[in-house]
Amino acid sequence: MAGSIERVIAAAADSGLDIEVRRMGASTRTAEQAAAQCGCSVAQIVKSLVFSGEDTGRLYLFLLPGTKRLDSGKAALLAGETLSRAEPRQVRDLTGFAIGGVSPLGHLIPIPTFADQGLLDHDRVWAAAGAHDAVFAVEPGALISAAKATVADFAV
Ligand code: 5CA
């Protein structure tokens, strides 16, 4: 999507984060592919999962290590409503990113964001930068701050 990588860089800069986006020249759509391209562990890949509230239709973003998955019961407690995976079109229209390139930063609208504590186990993590082959490395605490994410228990 045009301008999506630039949006990530601008959002990072707005939060005082100087990131270097790397185009890997191969797919980083999944955590496993991203880890292979980055030469890091799957746990160091940040998954950015967009869910939709079944009552309100609002979106919620969950940031978690590539080795973990979202516990839908715990996530629903945080959101205050039952959640389902957002439709790819809704993700694209409201974040400005296609599935597989959804970044923790730089969405078209503000989205309530939660982060798993496990991200903080690493000195450095890698996250999607708005395209299916684009990533950036970041210190996880700085990423969580820039994403205005609430650290919470929603992943297993
Ligand atoms: N670029 C990598 C990380 S650097 C990435 O985006 N990984 S991800 O885990 O955040 O995004 C891929 C995830 O998108 C999959 O794990 C899956 O949960 C979700 N996904 C894949 N297909 C769909 C779909 N059709 N609808 C909603 N979510 C989907």
Side-chain angles (χ1 to χ4, degrees), residues 66-141:
T67 44
K68 287 188 162 184
R69 61 183 173 79
L70 182 134
D71 178 308
S72 55
K74 289 180 174 180
L77 283 177
L78 289 173
E81 59 181 320
T82 305
L83 299 173
S84 52
R85 271 186 182 198
E87 292 296 327
R89 188 192 174 108
Q90 194 184 18
V91 172
R92 200 185 57 215
D93 288 350
L94 297 180
T95 70
F97 304 124
I99 299 265
V102 176
S103 177
L105 306 174
H107 311 119
L108 297 176
I109 60 158
I111 300 176
T113 301
F114 300 96
D116 180 66
Q117 175 91 34
L119 292 173
L120 295 163
D121 290 346
H122 309 281
D123 293 337
R124 198 159 80 132
V125 294
W126 295 80
H132 56 74
D133 65 346
V135 290
F136 64 97
V138 64
E139 190 277 312

Side-chain angles (χ1 to χ4, degrees), residues 28-29 34 45-49 85-86 88 99-101 127-128 135:
T28 55
R29 283 183 183 88
I45 298 297
V46 182
K47 291 205 283 196
S48 303
L49 303 182
R85 271 186 182 198
I99 299 265
V135 290

Side-chain angles (χ1 to χ4, degrees), residues 51-64:
F51 279 73
S52 168
E54 289 190 357
D55 297 339
T56 65
R58 285 194 194 123
L59 295 190
Y60 302 88
L61 176 65
F62 295 90
L63 308 179
L64 61 163

